[in-house]
Amino acid sequence: MQFLIPIALFLVGNITWSQTIEYKTITVVESIIPNGLGRSRMISSEEPRDYKEFTSSRTAEDDERNKSDRGEIRLKNFDETKLLNFFNLGGIRFQNIAANDAVVTSKLNDLAIQGWELAFVNSGVESFSGESDSNGIFITRYIFKRLKN
């Protein structure tokens, strides 16, 4: 009888250690191009990709560049949610920012209901720098994790 407790603890521990985690990335791109000319979207991939298929190892002896076909990397199955641009003709639109927050929060809440846990958030900006620069985006990546079924 006294041997059953250590065996049970070992089995429970083994099950816990063998759990696999899966990750999901949601990317939000919000335009900061003046006059509302940009495009803002929330993107979620619905098709898996194996990075190994598009990876090559380079060494001093074998310095051949990666020749992966871009067409094979691209995917056709993804969710694209339209968002509003930060700017319009009148300048910054705080209503647009609040609307985007509501839409993104809706997606985050939906993922939480599906068992996804927010693990990391990364963001970056390529900002508009004056009359001669017509570029600008604000990008945020939300990385989620959950136990794989």
Side-chain angles (χ1 to χ4, degrees):
M1 183 68 168
Q2 53 183 295
F3 293 110
L4 291 179
I5 293 174
I7 291 173
L9 289 174
F10 173 77
L11 291 175
V12 169
N14 237 3
I15 292 169
T16 304
W17 290 327
S18 66
Q19 293 175 339
T20 304
I21 295 175
E22 64 180 327
Y23 292 90
K24 180 175 188 67
T25 302
I26 305 298
T27 301
V28 175
V29 179
E30 294 172 287
S31 171
I32 52 177
I33 297 175
N35 302 324
L37 297 175
R39 297 184 333 176
S40 297
R41 301 287 189 272
M42 179 169 43
I43 306 296
S44 173
S45 171
E46 299 303 319
E47 190 175 321
R49 285 289 183 267
D50 184 352
Y51 79 94
K52 295 173 195 162
E53 294 178 22
F54 313 110
T55 302
S56 62
S57 296
R58 294 173 77 161
T59 64
E61 295 81 31
D62 182 11
D63 194 28
E64 188 173 332
R65 71 178 193 86
N66 188 320
K67 295 181 181 174
S68 296
D69 183 352
R70 293 176 190 268
E72 292 179 15
I73 299 171
R74 284 191 184 91
L75 51 84
K76 303 275 192 229
N77 299 318
F78 63 95
D79 290 341
E80 178 181 325
T81 305
K82 187 169 186 171
L83 299 172
L84 301 173
N85 297 332
F86 281 175
F87 284 100
N88 70 3
L89 291 172
I92 297 174
R93 291 288 298 185
F94 296 106
Q95 290 172 326
N96 290 4
I97 295 169
N100 287 358
D101 287 351
V103 172
V104 170
T105 299
S106 172
K107 177 73 171 187
L108 300 181
N109 286 334
D110 186 51
L111 288 169
I113 289 168
Q114 296 175 37
W116 292 99
E117 176 186 343
L118 184 60
F120 308 99
V121 179
N122 299 318
S123 63
V125 175
E126 195 292 309
S127 64
F128 176 72
S129 63
E131 297 288 328
S132 63
D133 183 2
S134 62
N135 297 311
I137 62 169
F138 186 80
I139 187 168
T140 307
R141 286 213 161 102
Y142 299 89
I143 301 170
F144 293 85
K145 68 179 184 176
R146 72 176 177 187
L147 293 179
K148 197 169 188 173
N149 295 331

